[in-house]
Amino acid sequence: MPERSIPLRKLGFLTIGLFDEQDPGRGHRSTLEIIELGERLGFDSAWLRHRHLQFGISSPIAVMAAASQRTSRIELGTAVTPLGWENPIRLAEDYATVDVLCGGRLNAGVSVGVPMQYERVKAALYPETADVEDFGYERVNRLLRAVEGLPVSDWSGTQGIEQFSDRVQPHSPGLRRRMWYGGASVRSAQWAGDAAMNLLVSSVVKAEESTDFDDIQFSHIMRFREHHPDGGSARVSQGLVVVPTDSATSAQVSKYREYARSRFERTLQPQGPARMMFAPDLVGTSDEIADMLYAGKAFREVDEVAFALPFSFEHDDYVQILTDIAENLGPKLGWSAAQK
């Protein structure tokens, strides 16, 4: 495994884009301002979670399109888009459009599985086909083929005065190399490797043969690279919840520690029928967090991260957290800010 001296190559952050139902514009503007701040601080990437029928970003594509016009360098990503809610061909069009708008800065992260709350929404989501929809890996394959530029129609040509293509338009040639899979199981990690995708690992894994979070995530990374054409150099990004307190006020520190404490019990044993294991939130000074990160085998196997911002904090809290990550924690992990 890499030693502590191996520098972190890419530093990103992930946000859910929380908003108030009575004033959604304010929350969305806050997210765009946070992305702009991330670019000024030198972050390599900004990632958006995807939430449906909740008070977080439901359309990261639209938000990334807006962010693409406010930024010039920072990469923009989804972590992740649940494909059970999407038509792969339409999503490929949206991804390619945003990639063109931002000059090839898009990182598209997806996952499969039955949509959350499916029994409650399937009549609205798929009124005619709910019981026969395929929510497995083939849904990703359809997206990948469309992004790659393979035909999605059996005809191209001119009809009247209109021209038609047999592949998704626009086509962005480099996008296929920036497709990511959000995996929480050994099976998903292996599949992502076989599919030559990049792998997103987060603060949630499935407890299949172990209940040690770090051991489980490490095994996912190893399995992924064993099956990826690029082997040990295949890209993996880790997304833990990291909250440095270097410049935080005493009130902020108390809030952050209470947030982590309220979520700690779920990290002690597998949760629910799927036996999901959660990583503890890391709260402390940048020195303390660096030590906690380097204690993990999984972290020592990656050279890029997208640290997750807590769900329910205020805009000023995110400004402080991102500033401390960029100015204090990142350098302690060997990272250098991107040129402004």
Side-chain angles (χ1 to χ4, degrees):
M1 292 181 295
E3 298 297 331
R4 183 169 176 145
S5 59
I6 298 297
L8 188 66
R9 183 173 60 89
K10 284 183 175 290
L11 176 61
F13 65 92
L14 167 65
T15 180
I16 192 173
L18 198 69
F19 60 84
D20 184 335
E21 182 180 15
Q22 304 306 316
D23 186 14
R26 179 172 176 268
H28 284 77
R29 288 190 295 272
S30 171
T31 296
L32 291 171
E33 290 168 6
I34 288 297
I35 294 172
E36 291 179 277
L37 172 65
E39 176 158 282
R40 292 196 299 273
L41 289 171
F43 278 89
D44 298 291
S45 59
W47 302 74
L48 303 177
R49 291 189 186 271
H50 205 146
R51 288 292 185 267
H52 291 294
L53 304 182
Q54 294 179 275
F55 306 108
I57 292 172
S58 62
S59 183
I61 295 291
V63 175
M64 289 191 301
S68 75
Q69 304 306 292
R70 292 172 174 235
T71 58
S72 61
R73 177 196 53 78
I74 194 168
E75 296 180 9
L76 306 168
T78 56
V80 291
T81 293
L83 284 186
W85 282 77
E86 305 289 341
N87 178 297
I89 305 305
R90 276 290 300 114
L91 184 61
E93 291 176 330
D94 285 346
Y95 277 151
T97 299
V98 174
D99 201 41
V100 168
L101 286 173
C102 69
R105 291 185 279 139
L106 181 68
N107 288 281
V110 300
S111 66
V112 296
V114 177
M116 291 178 62
Q117 305 289 332
Y118 190 56
E119 290 303 314
R120 294 184 170 94
V121 301
K122 67 180 185 179
L125 188 58
Y126 298 113
E128 305 298 331
T129 61
D131 295 330
V132 296
E133 287 289 333
D134 179 4
F135 296 123
Y137 296 126
E138 178 54 26
R139 211 173 184 93
V140 192
N141 283 326
R142 290 167 58 197
L143 174 66
L144 294 177
R145 291 192 293 266
V147 166
E148 191 172 346
L150 296 179
V152 297
S153 168
D154 62 4
W155 179 79
S156 64
T158 301
Q159 186 172 30
I161 63 171
E162 295 191 62
Q163 289 186 312
F164 293 85
S165 172
D166 62 357
R167 67 177 184 172
V168 163
Q169 297 296 340
H171 174 62
S172 187
L175 180 56
R176 175 61 177 87
R177 296 191 301 274
R178 286 175 273 114
M179 298 297 294
W180 296 75
Y181 189 82
S185 69
V186 171
R187 178 171 176 252
S188 288
Q190 179 173 321
W191 183 88
D194 289 333
M197 297 183 76
N198 307 303
L199 181 67
L200 291 164
V201 294
S202 69
S203 57
V204 186
V205 297
K206 285 188 176 181
E208 296 166 306
E209 297 181 0
S210 169
T211 57
D212 183 288
F213 181 94
D214 189 41
D215 284 346
I216 297 169
Q217 194 166 80
F218 177 77
S219 72
H220 294 175
I221 296 171
M222 294 296 99
R223 181 67 65 88
F224 167 73
R225 287 178 169 157
E226 286 169 7
H227 284 261
H228 197 286
D230 294 338
S233 63
R235 292 180 69 186
V236 180
S237 180
Q238 187 185 50
L240 302 178
V241 178
V242 169
V243 186
T245 59
D246 303 88
S247 66
T249 66
S250 58
Q252 285 175 316
V253 172
S254 296
K255 177 167 65 174
Y256 300 164
R257 294 197 181 281
E258 174 57 26
Y259 177 85
R261 186 205 62 75
S262 70
R263 289 157 43 98
F264 181 72
E265 186 174 351
R266 68 178 188 163
T267 71
L268 301 178
Q269 59 187 5
Q271 302 293 307
R275 291 180 56 79
M276 306 305 293
M277 289 292 300
F278 293 84
D281 303 326
L282 304 183
V283 179
T285 65
S286 289
D287 282 326
E288 292 169 337
I289 291 176
D291 287 341
M292 288 186 276
L293 288 170
Y294 278 117
K297 293 185 296 184
F299 177 79
R300 296 197 303 270
E301 273 297 326
V302 303
D303 65 359
E304 51 186 300
V305 296
F307 290 139
L309 296 174
F311 286 177
S312 55
F313 289 0
E314 300 297 325
H315 182 91
D316 289 346
D317 299 328
Y318 296 139
V319 170
Q320 175 266 311
I321 292 168
L322 287 180
T323 301
D324 279 352
I325 289 176
E327 296 182 351
N328 298 309
L329 178 59
K332 295 182 186 302
L333 303 176
W335 174 78
S336 298
Q339 294 297 317
K340 301 175 183 179

